[in-house]
Structures are given as structure tokens and as C-alpha cells.
Amino acid sequence: MKDTVVLDEKRLIAQEKLNNPSLMRTIWREIKHDKMAMGSLILLAIILITAYASPLFVDAVALKRVNFLATWKPPSAEHWLGTDDGGRDVFGQLLLGTRNSFTIGICVTLLAGIIGLTYGLVAGFYGGKVDNAMMRVLEFLMVLPSLMFIIVFVVIVPNYTVFTFILIMSTFAWFGKARLIRSRALQERELDYINASKTLGTPSWKIMFFEMFPNLSSLVIVNMTLTLAGNIGLETGLTFLGFGLPTGTPSLGTLISFARTPDVVQNKWWVWLPAALLILVMMLCINYIGQAVKRASDARQRLA
Amino acid sequence: MLKFILRRTLLMIPQLILLSIIIFMLAKMMPGDALTGAFQGNPDVSLEQLEKLREKAGLNDPWYQQYGRWLGNAVQGDFGKSYVHQQKVTSLLAGKVENTVILSLFTLIVTYLIALPLGIIAGRFTDSWADKAIVTYNYFAFATPLFVFALLMMWFFAFVLGWLPYGSSVDIKLESGTWDYFVSRAKHLVLPVLSGSLLATFSTIQYLRNDIIDQKLRDYVKTARAKGVPEAKVYTRHILRNSLLPIAAFLGFEITGLIGGSVFIESIFSYPGLGYLFIQSISTRDFTVVTALVMISGTAVIVGTMLSDIILSIVDPRIRIE
């Protein structure tokens, strides 16, 4: 009875899982291995937890109250980062701004991700003429001066709200993603499992979203992490220029936009400098984590 | 070769037409038309008269007729009249185009002056301290938002150190043509150009570094070394020739980046160029100027992309086959 091998199915599956750890597990291992990425993750977590927990200790209504007796006060024990032109506390606005900027960054990234993913999957799945036509359109969209278009839309849209802003930004944020996903989907469609599924008569949308997409998910996650930073940068930049979040919704860009006059830049640094540095730190952290995620998704580049 | 250039140029035409249609539709969505500006607040013109003038100017025609007329004028460089400044858009643009071209050109040159040597050093001496420093710098260049960086540069160099002027393109008191004027102009350019180019180096450095690392192991490099070519020459003559060519392809994207970046850079340094004019015009709802600016920028990017495709096809014949 030497030839008989008893297959312990459970053990095999467990072993298989150990050999092929999930993406999240690989990412975690990669981050743990890279001290800078770990540091970035902790720093970003501290910033975000403070910002999102701010309603517990910052009074949002008091932040909007104008106090002309306390305008442009430098940092003190009462106002950690001083006050702005209306006597409002800068530190509180900083926390609120971080929260808004990050939330909007996430929303835009998700929305643009969904649009880009759908466009890329459809083009890549059908291939041929459909792909060709869709790519010509995409090529055209990619050369548009999108920053100018976003600003024009922001100005001419009636009933401008935070939601319309997210919509406008997402409209111009998915092009790169669609191209990336399409090129991978084109390779994927030649594989046997797709053909088998087609033969079995599975509807196309089901193949695209439930069979093809899971195989591209690591690509999507990497891309989303990296574009999140870019989207936060763009939102704060637009708000800085005055074409971002509607007034009344503070963003980090709102605080930086005080630096439009030489006097504020030079003498009232406490209003804009902390916000500028905070954006810089957040961008660096997110990108560092993004790099680790990228390495984790590509076995050749992994450090861990 | 000629066939490729011709085909690529023809491909540009539908893109330009589509761009103009989109911009025309946007212009129609914007409040006000050519006459609102010309007769706004003029009590001598009644509403009926205005309506007659509209009819005469063809503003009540179907959209495709209006579009045809608008495009015809735009091609001849006539973008209508600015509501706010009460003068032709073209005369408003006159000096601004030149300013932006100068700024972009210098930014591009400085970008390559920084990026090429750094990319070559990083690729040649992989994993040395210099490579690590360059990779770190490049990582910062990628992650930093342009407007934050420009603002920090302005704050540090113009206010804390006081070395350089912080705004405008030249000292107003100086007369044009003099040596002082030229010096002042150059000084005003330093900060905007540096802010733009120090961050724009990212793609070039990364591409060059990766490509040189890749080329180093190729057979032709081994052959060159075996034949006794000095190490420095292997890089400058053999590897660089292959690695540099595709960088030409980035030119189109660099132009796109420069146009987007000019909006931030110019409005931070109040540099009187197209980007600053764009922000000013849209803030005052001066839509004829806005339309003209978007059209000009869009055309510049489309032409730029076409040029870089053609350059790439000249330097790398493999592209043409596809």
C-alpha cells in the first residue's frame, strides 16, 4: 500500500494559503519590513485619527464665529497656531481642513476608480474595434488641459456644492487608470479561464466584474494608493486658487490661500505654513506607503 | 517616414475639431455673450435694440452656424472682445504669450539640465550614496504638490532670506531695453523657473536611471567594454545614445505639465502670463478671455503631443511600424 497517498484537504488548503498569502498580508509584511513605510503609516494614522476625532474637542461652530478683537494673533497657549483674519483659531481649522481634504481625496479616488475600472475593463474585455474606438476617445481626453477645464466647470456649474466638486474632479481623474486597466485586461482576456467562462455562457458583465476584476485587483489597489496623494494635492491646490471647496467648508487649501498677499506670507506665517507643511508630510507618507504597496504587488521588487 | 508624419498630422485634425466643439459648448454654457460685455450698463441701449443687435450679429442663429463663424474667427486669431477690459482678446494676450513661453522654455531647459546628469549618475553608479541621494530627491519631487513647493520657495528665498523678488516679471520702475531691466527680469524668473523645474525632473530621472541600469547588461555594452572602450565613453557614447532618445517622447507630456503648472506658478508669483491671466479672467467672469485661453492651451498640448510622436518616430523607427 505504498502508492496510496492520503490527501488531507484542509491541510493542503492551509499550506496553499501559506504559500500564496493574500495581497493584504503581503502588503503588511512589506510595510513591516520597510522602516520608512512603517513610520509613514504610523505618522499618517496619528494625523488622521487626530483630524477625524477633532469634533470631540474642537467646536466647529465656534470656529466659524468671527471675532474682530482677536484677528491675526500669533501662536499662544490659548490659540496653539494663532488666529486668522477673522479671529478664528487656526489649529482647529487645520484639523477640520485635514479631515475634509482627506475625505474628498478618498471620494474622488474611489469614484474615479470605478469609472476608470469600468472603462478599462470594457475596452480590454471586448478588444478589437470597441477597444480601438474607446482608446481614441481616451487619447483625446488625456491631452485636454484638465486643470483649466476643472476650473471652468467649477465656475459655470449652477448650485455648486461639495458633491458637484467631487463629481467634477472625478470626471478628469480616471484617464490614466482606464488605460492601465485596459492594457492588463487585454492580456487577461486571452487566458483560458475567460474563454471557458464564455463557452459556459456567463454574461459578459459577470465575467468582467467577477472573474477578470479580482485578477486585476492588486493593480487597482496600487494605483489607487498612489493617486490618492495626487488627488488630495489637486483638491488643496484648487481650493488654494479659490476654485475648490465652496466657502464654509474649510480645506487645507483654504488656510494656504491666505498666503496670497506678501504681508501674510512674511509676517503671519502661522496661518498658512502649518497647513502647507502638513500637506507635504501627508503626501510624503501616502506616497511612501504607496511605494511599499507597489512593491508588495510585484514579487520581483519585494524587500520582505 | 513622410507617410507617418502625414498620418500623424491628419490625426490631429479631428482632435482639434473635437476640442473646439467642446470649448464652444462650454462657452455657450457660460453666462453672457459677446454683446453683454459691449453694451453692459449702457443706458442708451434698450432691450429691444439689444435684441436687434443680437439678431444682426447672428447670436440667434442655430448653433452650428454660430460654431462655424466662431471657429472661422478663432482660426484667424479673432477671439472676440473681453467684457471686463473692453478690448480685443488678442491685444490682451499680446505680451502674456511671450511671458509664458519664456517661463516654460526656461523651466524645460533647467529641468533637463538638472535631470539628465542626475539620471545618468544614478544609473551608472547604482546603489552608491549618490544614487541613493538622487532617488530620495526624486521621491520628494514626485510627492510634493507644486503649489506648496512654490509657496515654500517664495517664502524662504524671497522673504526669509530676501535674496530674490517675489512677484511680477520685472521691476516696474525700469525702462525696457536697459541692462538693469534685463537683470531684473532674470531675477524675477529664477524662483518661478526653479520651483517648476525642481519638481518636473521626476519622470526624466526615473526613466533614465531605469533605462541605463537595463542597458548596462546588454551585449553591445559588453562588446564595447571587451574592445577596450574607456568606461566613461561606454556611457556617453554607447549607452546614452540609446537611453536619451525616448526622452524626446516625454516632451508632449512635459508641455501638458507646464501648462497646468503655469496656472499655479504664475498665480503664486503673480507672473503676468497666460496662467495668471486665466485665473484673473475666470475670477472676474471674463468668459471670452477664458474661452480663448483654454482653446490656446488645448491646441498647444495637442500640437506638442503630435510633435513628440513625430520626434520619437524619427529617432526610433520601430514605432512607425505599429
Side-chain angles (χ1 to χ4, degrees):
Chain A
M1 299 303 266
K2 218 179 155 190
D3 292 328
T4 323
V5 179
V6 183
L7 287 176
D8 182 352
E9 206 172 306
K10 267 188 190 156
R11 212 178 53 104
L12 271 178
I13 291 175
Q15 184 62 41
E16 192 61 22
K17 270 200 176 148
L18 215 65
N19 291 344
N20 295 304
S22 72
L23 181 68
M24 280 302 154
R25 199 169 277 268
T26 330
I27 291 173
W28 177 236
R29 213 165 60 188
E30 186 69 35
I31 290 178
K32 259 201 309 201
H33 190 82
D34 184 350
K35 280 200 190 96
M36 283 291 282
M38 195 66 197
S40 305
L41 190 68
I42 294 171
L43 189 59
L44 188 68
I46 293 173
I47 293 172
L48 290 181
I49 290 170
T50 321
Y52 279 89
S54 63
L56 295 176
F57 48 88
V58 174
D59 185 359
V61 183
L63 268 184
K64 286 185 184 159
R65 207 174 297 136
V66 176
N67 177 5
F68 286 113
L69 297 172
T71 54
W72 301 121
K73 282 270 190 303
S76 61
E78 191 190 349
H79 299 289
W80 286 2
L81 287 173
T83 60
D84 67 1
D85 64 337
R88 288 161 295 214
D89 183 45
V90 172
F91 184 70
Q93 289 189 62
L94 196 66
L95 291 180
L96 219 62
T98 311
R99 208 179 54 165
N100 288 335
S101 291
F102 196 79
T103 312
I104 285 163
I106 293 267
C107 290
V108 172
T109 311
L110 284 178
L111 202 56
I114 293 171
I115 306 173
L117 184 72
T118 316
Y119 197 91
L121 276 180
V122 170
F125 178 78
Y126 288 106
K129 275 183 190 156
V130 178
D131 172 52
N132 218 330
M134 285 174 91
M135 278 305 110
R136 289 294 92 74
V137 174
L138 194 62
E139 261 165 34
F140 171 71
L141 290 173
M142 284 184 92
V143 295
L144 290 181
S146 46
L147 185 71
M148 285 183 162
F149 271 93
I150 293 176
I151 293 176
V152 170
F153 273 112
V154 163
V155 169
I156 61 174
V157 159
N159 302 325
Y160 181 63
T161 59
V162 177
F163 184 68
T164 34
F165 178 59
I166 293 175
L167 225 56
I168 293 170
M169 261 189 79
S170 312
T171 314
F172 289 91
W174 57 270
F175 309 147
K177 217 164 300 198
R179 203 166 65 161
L180 188 76
I181 288 164
R182 170 255 180 189
S183 65
R184 272 291 297 276
L186 268 182
Q187 296 167 14
E188 209 75 13
R189 75 188 279 259
E190 305 295 334
L191 296 181
D192 284 340
Y193 75 96
I194 300 286
N195 281 329
S197 208
K198 272 187 197 160
T199 324
L200 284 170
T202 319
S204 300
W205 62 270
K206 236 179 188 168
I207 300 180
M208 275 186 255
F209 289 98
F210 293 98
E211 292 170 7
M212 219 180 215
F213 169 56
N215 284 302
L216 304 177
S217 59
S218 68
L219 187 75
V220 177
I221 291 170
V222 171
N223 182 268
M224 288 236 226
T225 335
L226 288 174
T227 45
L228 172 64
N231 286 334
I232 296 177
L234 186 58
E235 178 272 314
T236 46
L238 283 164
T239 313
F240 164 75
L241 288 175
F243 304 98
L245 290 183
T247 40
T249 322
S251 137
L252 287 174
T254 322
L255 282 173
I256 304 180
S257 67
F258 280 109
R260 301 297 297 270
T261 54
D263 175 48
V264 177
V265 176
Q266 192 171 16
N267 304 321
K268 285 147 190 151
W269 55 268
W270 59 85
V271 184
W272 64 273
L273 192 59
L277 293 177
L278 190 62
I279 290 185
L280 200 61
V281 169
M282 275 170 63
M283 296 292 102
L284 290 172
C285 286
I286 296 174
N287 271 301
Y288 225 101
I289 298 167
Q291 295 298 337
V293 173
K294 193 176 172 188
R295 284 198 308 269
S297 76
D298 182 356
R300 279 172 306 174
Q301 294 182 20
R302 262 175 230 164
L303 298 175
Chain B
M1 184 71 247
L2 206 67
K3 215 171 124 192
F4 175 82
I5 295 181
L6 209 67
R7 226 180 32 215
R8 187 60 190 80
T9 319
L10 284 179
L11 197 74
M12 192 177 80
I13 292 167
Q15 284 190 338
L16 283 176
I17 291 175
L18 203 58
L19 175 78
S20 66
I21 290 179
I22 292 175
I23 291 174
F24 179 75
M25 283 188 328
L26 275 181
K28 284 279 128 186
M29 276 162 70
M30 295 169 188
D33 56 39
L35 291 177
T36 328
F39 294 103
Q40 208 168 32
N42 189 343
D44 297 337
V45 183
S46 70
L47 271 178
E48 289 105 61
Q49 274 171 307
L50 202 62
E51 196 48 46
K52 255 183 216 154
L53 281 168
R54 274 221 168 87
E55 187 69 49
K56 211 172 145 199
L59 287 171
N60 294 332
D61 293 351
W63 72 270
Y64 50 87
Q65 282 183 17
Q66 287 190 48
Y67 167 72
R69 218 169 13 239
W70 174 79
L71 189 67
N73 289 336
V75 167
Q76 291 164 36
D78 179 8
F79 289 102
K81 222 169 154 186
S82 151
Y83 306 160
V84 175
H85 300 277
Q86 293 299 330
Q87 52 172 318
K88 288 226 159 202
V89 175
T90 6
S91 62
L92 205 62
L93 293 180
K96 310 259 159 63
V97 178
E98 185 196 308
N99 279 341
T100 298
V101 169
I102 290 176
L103 178 65
S104 309
L105 207 64
F106 275 103
T107 310
L108 210 58
I109 292 171
V110 175
T111 306
Y112 285 130
L113 279 182
I114 300 172
L116 296 182
L118 289 189
I120 294 167
I121 292 171
R124 182 171 169 185
F125 306 105
T126 336
D127 284 332
S128 66
W129 63 268
D131 175 41
K132 280 184 186 130
I134 291 167
V135 169
T136 313
Y137 155 67
N138 217 29
Y139 168 70
F140 271 89
F142 174 68
T144 311
L146 180 61
F147 79 104
V148 172
F149 184 68
L151 210 58
L152 290 174
M153 288 282 279
M154 173 166 98
W155 173 67
F156 192 70
F157 288 106
F159 290 105
V160 176
L161 296 177
W163 288 353
L164 293 158
Y166 58 82
S168 175
S169 71
V170 71
D171 222 326
I172 13 169
K173 281 169 280 175
L174 296 168
E175 218 171 297
S176 103
T178 60
W179 172 248
D180 284 344
Y181 178 88
F182 177 75
V183 171
S184 154
R185 180 107 212 221
K187 271 189 178 169
H188 280 85
L189 264 176
V190 173
L191 275 181
V193 166
L194 271 186
S195 315
S197 46
L198 278 174
L199 295 189
T201 51
F202 165 73
S203 55
T204 312
I205 292 187
Q206 200 194 29
Y207 174 82
L208 205 57
R209 179 177 180 269
N210 290 344
D211 201 59
I212 289 179
I213 291 175
D214 195 38
Q215 301 271 355
K216 265 202 295 207
L217 303 169
R218 297 277 176 89
D219 285 342
Y220 76 90
V221 178
K222 279 184 200 155
T223 315
R225 283 216 184 96
K227 280 162 68 181
V229 179
E231 193 63 16
K233 234 178 187 170
V234 169
Y235 281 93
T236 52
R237 281 285 163 78
H238 297 254
I239 293 183
L240 210 57
R241 279 216 185 148
N242 282 306
S243 293
L244 269 188
L245 300 181
I247 285 180
F250 291 149
L251 203 67
F253 293 108
E254 297 282 351
I255 293 175
T256 322
L258 281 175
I259 284 175
S262 76
V263 173
F264 283 117
I265 293 279
E266 287 180 8
S267 53
I268 285 172
F269 292 104
S270 1
Y271 182 89
L274 297 180
Y276 189 44
L277 181 68
F278 175 75
I279 293 295
Q280 279 180 324
S281 316
I282 197 129
S283 303
T284 51
R285 306 291 185 267
D286 197 354
F287 288 119
T288 31
V289 184
V290 170
T291 319
L293 285 173
V294 180
M295 189 70 208
I296 291 171
S297 314
T299 312
V301 176
I302 290 178
V303 173
T305 321
M306 180 200 71
L307 282 181
S308 57
D309 274 2
I310 290 178
I311 295 172
L312 190 69
S313 82
I314 293 172
V315 298
D316 190 350
R318 280 168 301 178
I319 302 288
R320 263 173 279 158
I321 301 164
E322 283 181 40

